[in-house]
Amino acid sequence: MTQLNIPIESTTLPNGLRVVISPDRAAPVATLGVYYNIGFRIEPRGRSGFAHLFEHMMFQGSANAGKMVHIKLINSSGGVLNGSTHYDVTNYYESVPSNALERVLWLEADRMRALKVDDENLRNQRDVVKEEVRVNVLNQPYGGFPWLDLPPIAYRNWSNAHNFYGDFDDLDAATLDDVQNFFKTYYAPSNAVLLILGDVDTDEGIKLAERHFASIPSGPQPSPADIDEPPQIEERRGVVEEKFGTLPGVAIGYQSPRRVTPEWHAAAMLDQALHGGRAGRVYRRLVLEQQIAVDAEGGIHYPVGDLFDYNGPTLMVTRLLHKPEYSVDQTIAAYDQIIAEMKEKGITAEELEPIKVKFRSNYFSMLEGGHGASIPRYGLMHLLACFSLFDDNPKLVNTILGGFMEVTPQAVQSVAQKLLTRHNRSIAIRQPAKKGAA
Amino acid sequence: MASAPRSELPAAAPPLTPARPVIWPPRVHKTLSNGLEVVLVESHTIPKFTGELFFRSGNAVAIAKAPGLADMTATVARTGTLKRTSREIEEDLRRMGSDLSSGAGADTSVISFAGLVEFSNGLLGLVSELAQQANFPEDEFERERRQLIEGLRIERTTPGFLASERLRRVLFGAHPYGTISPTEEQVTSYRVEQLKEFYQRYYRPGNALLVMVGDFSPQAMLAQIESAFGSWASGPVEEAPDPALPELPGRRVYLVHLPGSVQTQISVGNRAITRKHPDWLRLTLANSIYGGAFNSRLVMNIREEKGYTYSPHSGAHPLRQHGYFSIGAAVRNDVVAATLTEIFYEIDRMRSTPVGEEELDDARSYLTGVFSLGLATQDGLAGQLATSTLEKLPDDYLETYRERVLKLTSADVLDAAQKYFDSAHAQIVNVGDRAEIESQAAQFGKPEVYDAQGNRI
């Protein structure tokens, strides 16, 4: 079963806002999202971390809903809310009992229309974001490994290569003018998609979307950002000190194909053959059999994204933590053996078929829950948004599996031979610091 | 821009529309003749199912033999059976589009699984094999032991782990709940016979609960379960020991020294109650007002007003025999004392001043609404069913939860705060760089200082 029948209705309002409705009335619960076609990849130069800081500012107040009103109104309606910044999109989402649907639409429309924040809000959220960076990166073992380590090694275009969480100096330099300019440039209705999923009638959902969003003035479409990379012609390596953790880490990233192309479908199967859990070749060989590594994971656009949510250069990443009695070179040599076998011998149909079954199963789970455990249908929302903004076709959700299921063993081997070359890869090494006296 | 058309939007939030009723799906709740308790619920959101096979014995029951033994047993149990090698198990799982994990907490061991319904029979067969015929291969055991040791070394550099470890130790002392993780030496001295013994004793149908939710008909699934698990031999069931808890000497301060920390993990806690206690919902509501929701007092204060921290939170944690309440925040080093001051200020406010009607209403709506979000996913339903059945809560627990929350009053919240936000016996743990924070911690009492290995320094 690869052709799905998830009900999806979409329309575009006169101001350019795309609206996607996917009803399922089984439980009296709705999930809503607004996705803007702006991520940390294309934040302004000299303002690293700004897209994420800006996401925080969207919770600080809008024209008719001051600071904390968004949070208070959603929580007190029995719902939860959050936002997140990705490479190429930023999202804001809520799951609520469905009787709060219109209230959520009102809130999202209010902050799409006009952000109302002051210097005090900016100072406050700058502090909060710094603690977020400390708790997730600077004060954690393997913090940012490899999602912050690899880009500056792998890329030459600042957009792809910079510190997405933000250098503290850049965060400090951000001004209220930056905030309002960013809002004007990237938060126009025509640069966004509104999604309503769950307990909603399609016609009623569209009517409510029109009522609340249609009068938001359209704005100019931002000019397309330059995220092109010059072709990579040699292996790139970098070393980052690991301040806390005790094991060396190695992350290997290969430049990956553009989304929704035949090569992308084949690369996804290749990725699963290598990184599909404990049955995947990398984990089986390096952790279970040779016991060089104690952990091995990976994927396309791993670890802060997935196959579906990028729209520009990205990597297929393998992340290893290995035993200290093996050198980095020995570890990479053992990994290279796996890669060489894949390129030389390819994959049999007997190995590929189960990979497709597992891929299909993972896809269903993503639709229902995906990345946000307490947000029903987060994954479906995320896919609908990415297929709307990047491919202009939310209904790809129902048909996209077909392309993966048709991948042949030959296609996997070809894409392996093309992608998995030394000159197409970058390696980030986490070297544990020498421990002083505690 | 010239005159944009005046918005027709109301300047105030629209009211809630009438709520649709929240209807919990019917459950099939049955005990097989060998004692295996089974709970099944249909959920047709995706063509999959999810399940958990619990054993009501975890690390606590074997603490005297070896801390962490239940967890190691569960880990190695998935690496080989009388019929399948480790590699065959992993490849069979993939062939069936399935995921499986195993582990143990203080009170339970669990095999969790999910897969495509078209392979439910095969997956149940494998789960049944892991539960009955695991053979604990020596080489698999040695590999997992080394991985566990490397994992422990990394945990000892993780502020959140170090804070939980110290807090649980000071709250529960020598009671099994006082130990959340084995030492490296303890893991080194595990023997595979200990794992086999734990497995033989506790992986028994009379000690087990199987919860499954998914795209199936319960009657048909019950027949599959009978055929996969029906012949499993029963055995006696043993309760975990429950030694006396230590006397808490009043408010105490602890500092775990993690050199080079650029932030301090604060954890403040006191002993509280289990989920079966009649005050449980009162405590839950008080917690959600204090620090258990985004829109809570602590989050507003130390995040949204003061910017000390990113993700402050509080929670009531029910274990089977006892429970505890804790507050956590990772803060910048120069505001450790300021944060503790606010944590206790907000506790004192909860304990002394009744919550107003609006705040009470908001919190009740939050709890009841979020509870019903569980209806919409297979994982959400499975989690709620597992909790209510494992704890042997009343059959109508899910159905009556919302009305019981809605009946709670401001006096209930005040009562719960006075009993369970026990600031007089609060244990204060700070994980960070001693040189940066010791003088601040000392404002709340003389700190007992530990290194990251757990040694007093």
Side-chain angles (χ1 to χ4, degrees), chain B residues 220-252:
Chain B
M221 185 52 69
L222 197 57
Q224 287 187 18
I225 291 168
E226 285 275 8
S227 104
F229 293 94
S231 61
W232 190 2
S234 207
V237 181
E238 200 176 314
E239 289 291 315
D242 186 10
L245 296 175
E247 283 290 315
L248 287 180
R251 192 185 284 191
R252 282 282 173 91

XYZ file of all heavy atoms in Angstrom, chain B residues 220-252:
242
model
N -9.906 -10.287 17.309
C -8.933 -11.000 16.478
C -7.539 -10.906 17.089
O -6.774 -11.876 17.099
C -8.934 -10.426 15.065
N -7.216 -9.746 17.653
C -5.894 -9.573 18.247
C -5.757 -10.443 19.490
O -4.693 -11.012 19.747
C -5.681 -8.093 18.584
C -4.303 -7.753 19.100
S -2.944 -8.326 18.051
C -3.139 -7.261 16.638
N -6.854 -10.554 20.241
C -6.812 -11.381 21.441
C -6.493 -12.834 21.077
O -5.718 -13.505 21.779
C -8.160 -11.288 22.169
C -8.172 -11.739 23.622
C -7.155 -10.959 24.454
C -9.574 -11.561 24.212
N -7.041 -13.292 19.965
C -6.762 -14.669 19.532
C -5.267 -14.811 19.200
O -4.635 -15.807 19.564
C -7.629 -15.025 18.327
N -4.693 -13.803 18.527
C -3.250 -13.856 18.224
C -2.423 -13.875 19.504
O -1.410 -14.563 19.600
C -2.838 -12.638 17.392
C -3.305 -12.687 15.943
C -2.710 -11.531 15.117
O -1.723 -10.912 15.515
N -3.320 -11.245 13.985
N -2.876 -13.086 20.477
C -2.136 -13.016 21.748
C -2.214 -14.354 22.485
O -1.210 -14.856 22.999
C -2.687 -11.858 22.611
C -2.321 -10.519 21.963
C -2.160 -11.930 24.034
C -3.040 -9.331 22.562
N -3.422 -14.952 22.493
C -3.591 -16.279 23.121
C -2.607 -17.262 22.490
O -1.944 -18.034 23.185
C -5.020 -16.800 22.911
C -6.082 -16.142 23.773
C -6.198 -16.778 25.152
O -5.350 -17.626 25.497
O -7.145 -16.388 25.888
N -2.508 -17.214 21.184
C -1.661 -18.219 20.538
C -0.176 -17.915 20.766
O 0.638 -18.826 20.882
C -2.048 -18.369 19.067
O -1.116 -17.728 18.242
N 0.193 -16.638 20.881
C 1.605 -16.316 21.105
C 2.020 -16.488 22.567
O 3.161 -16.873 22.857
C 1.901 -14.886 20.643
N 1.119 -16.181 23.503
C 1.517 -16.132 24.919
C 0.805 -17.156 25.810
O 1.133 -17.285 26.981
C 1.240 -14.731 25.495
C 2.096 -13.650 24.898
C 1.642 -12.890 23.820
C 3.358 -13.384 25.407
C 2.425 -11.886 23.272
C 4.148 -12.374 24.866
C 3.688 -11.629 23.791
N -0.199 -17.866 25.253
C -1.059 -18.720 26.091
C -0.319 -19.841 26.807
O -0.681 -20.222 27.916
N 0.736 -20.353 26.194
C 1.404 -21.516 26.801
C 2.570 -21.119 27.708
O 3.315 -21.975 28.192
C 1.916 -22.442 25.693
O 2.858 -21.735 24.907
N 2.712 -19.844 27.941
C 3.800 -19.327 28.799
C 3.551 -19.784 30.237
O 2.475 -19.559 30.783
C 3.755 -17.810 28.703
C 4.880 -17.026 29.286
C 6.012 -17.473 29.878
C 4.941 -15.598 29.278
N 6.790 -16.403 30.257
C 6.159 -15.240 29.897
C 4.104 -14.581 28.825
C 6.536 -13.911 30.073
C 4.483 -13.273 28.991
C 5.694 -12.938 29.608
N 4.540 -20.445 30.821
C 4.338 -21.012 32.152
C 4.299 -19.923 33.214
O 5.097 -18.988 33.196
C 5.454 -22.002 32.460
N 3.373 -20.056 34.114
C 3.232 -19.085 35.198
C 4.331 -19.284 36.243
O 5.103 -20.229 36.166
C 1.854 -19.245 35.835
O 1.462 -18.024 36.387
N 4.397 -18.392 37.190
C 5.379 -18.532 38.256
C 5.014 -17.584 39.377
O 4.172 -16.715 39.205
N 5.619 -17.743 40.546
C 5.277 -16.872 41.663
C 5.753 -15.441 41.412
O 6.659 -15.212 40.628
C 6.036 -17.490 42.842
C 7.174 -18.217 42.207
C 6.719 -18.653 40.847
N 5.116 -14.513 42.074
C 5.447 -13.103 41.897
C 5.920 -12.531 43.219
O 5.391 -12.864 44.276
C 4.217 -12.323 41.392
C 4.577 -10.867 41.197
C 3.708 -12.932 40.102
N 6.918 -11.684 43.125
C 7.574 -11.185 44.330
C 7.471 -9.658 44.388
O 7.651 -8.996 43.381
C 9.041 -11.581 44.204
C 9.823 -11.609 45.462
C 11.240 -12.114 45.131
O 11.365 -13.116 44.401
O 12.187 -11.473 45.574
N 7.208 -9.119 45.527
C 7.145 -7.661 45.682
C 8.553 -7.096 45.888
O 9.431 -7.769 46.434
C 6.301 -7.299 46.902
C 4.816 -7.566 46.731
C 4.168 -6.621 45.724
O 4.438 -5.408 45.782
O 3.389 -7.115 44.879
N 8.740 -5.865 45.475
C 10.020 -5.208 45.725
C 10.122 -4.854 47.208
O 9.121 -4.580 47.854
C 10.129 -3.949 44.878
N 11.343 -4.861 47.747
C 11.511 -4.455 49.147
C 11.178 -2.970 49.305
O 11.318 -2.200 48.358
C 13.000 -4.698 49.404
C 13.642 -4.614 48.053
C 12.620 -5.122 47.071
N 10.717 -2.595 50.488
C 10.408 -1.185 50.741
C 10.968 -0.789 52.097
O 10.237 -0.594 53.059
C 8.888 -0.974 50.687
C 8.517 0.508 50.787
O 9.426 1.366 50.713
O 7.322 0.793 50.945
N 12.304 -0.689 52.176
C 12.905 -0.329 53.462
C 12.529 1.095 53.870
O 12.062 1.882 53.047
C 14.408 -0.445 53.203
C 14.578 -0.372 51.734
C 13.297 -0.845 51.110
N 12.747 1.393 55.137
C 12.396 2.713 55.661
C 13.162 3.804 54.929
O 14.298 3.605 54.493
C 12.721 2.768 57.155
N 12.536 4.952 54.792
C 13.196 6.096 54.167
C 14.012 6.839 55.219
O 13.669 6.813 56.404
C 12.150 7.030 53.578
C 11.320 6.433 52.449
C 10.227 7.409 52.025
C 12.197 6.086 51.264
N 15.070 7.516 54.787
C 15.868 8.282 55.756
C 15.066 9.469 56.290
O 14.196 9.995 55.605
C 17.058 8.758 54.916
C 16.572 8.757 53.507
C 15.565 7.642 53.408
N 15.374 9.859 57.517
C 14.831 11.116 58.051
C 15.474 12.257 57.272
O 16.700 12.313 57.145
C 15.231 11.264 59.526
C 14.431 10.419 60.483
C 13.004 10.920 60.613
O 12.807 12.150 60.741
O 12.078 10.075 60.558
N 14.675 13.172 56.746
C 15.289 14.323 56.086
C 15.565 15.391 57.137
O 14.686 15.748 57.914
C 14.375 14.866 54.987
C 14.288 13.985 53.738
C 13.374 14.599 52.713
C 15.664 13.735 53.143
N 16.802 15.885 57.165
C 17.224 16.760 58.251
C 16.785 18.212 58.073
O 17.330 19.088 58.716
C 18.745 16.643 58.174
C 19.023 16.371 56.727
C 17.848 15.623 56.182
N 15.840 18.489 57.230
C 15.525 19.891 56.948
C 16.171 20.292 55.642
O 16.718 19.467 54.924
N 16.120 21.577 55.353
C 16.646 22.052 54.079
C 18.165 21.876 54.018
O 18.862 22.216 54.960
C 16.282 23.530 53.912
C 16.511 24.057 52.522
C 16.238 25.539 52.460
N 14.823 25.839 52.452
C 14.343 27.070 52.184
N 15.164 28.076 51.935
N 13.058 27.293 52.194
N 18.659 21.301 52.945
C 20.094 21.077 52.781
C 20.534 21.495 51.384
O 19.739 21.454 50.452
C 20.450 19.599 52.961
C 20.508 19.136 54.404
C 21.820 19.588 55.061
N 21.821 19.292 56.486
C 22.284 18.149 57.000
N 22.790 17.211 56.216
N 22.256 17.941 58.300
